[in-house]
Every structure is written in structure tokens, then in C-alpha cells.
Amino acid sequence: MTSTTPIQEGQRRIIWVLGSDNKPQPRLVRLGITDGTATEVIEGDLKEGDIIIVGQNLPAEDRPQNNQQRPPGFGGMPGGGPRGPGGFGGGGGGGGGRR
């Protein structure tokens, strides 16, 4: 799956948690409902107080030049606007509709 894969209820995804050694550790979770900004985690190896990694800071010289070089889950969806990284592969802005 890539960061542009839409989140669907019941999907399993890997998220990253900051370990006691201050290094990222992968955790498998099952997702519940989402509104595109916040996503429910209904199952997985998480504990209260775990620090979930939702982005990364890189010096300008180390930044990728396009989204294809970013790790999965650290890029917005195409056409998502200026929202920035979106945690569980998220991002995505709202669209205007007709009235």
C-alpha cells in the first residue's frame, strides 16, 4: 500500500511508535472509522502512553524531491492541498460542491 491508498474501515496498517530506545518500532493495527483527519484504531499492539509517529522533520538538503521517495504514510494524497503530512496515509483536502 502507498500513502495514496484510501483508508477503509477494517484495514490493517503498520504504524510507527517511538520505542523506549528512542527508535521507531512498527506496530500492526486494524482501523475503524475515519473522517479523513482522525482515524479510529480498533485493534493492535498499542498501550496507553505510546507515542505515535505522525510525521518527520528533515533538513532541507535531505528532503525528497517528490512524494515517491517518502516513506509510506508520510505524504498527503494528490490534490490534497496545503495540509501537510497525514499520519495514516491521510492528507487530502475538501472539495467544493455545487449548491
Side-chain angles (χ1 to χ4, degrees), residues 56 58 62-72 74:
Q56 63 182 351
L58 297 174
D62 293 338
R63 289 187 187 146
Q65 296 301 310
N66 63 45
N67 284 345
Q68 292 176 350
Q69 295 176 346
R70 290 185 184 166
F74 289 101

Side-chain angles (χ1 to χ4, degrees), residues 17-18 27 45-52:
V17 175
L18 190 63
R27 304 279 175 90
D45 185 24
L46 296 176
K47 297 173 193 73
E48 188 171 335
D50 280 347
I51 299 173
I52 308 292

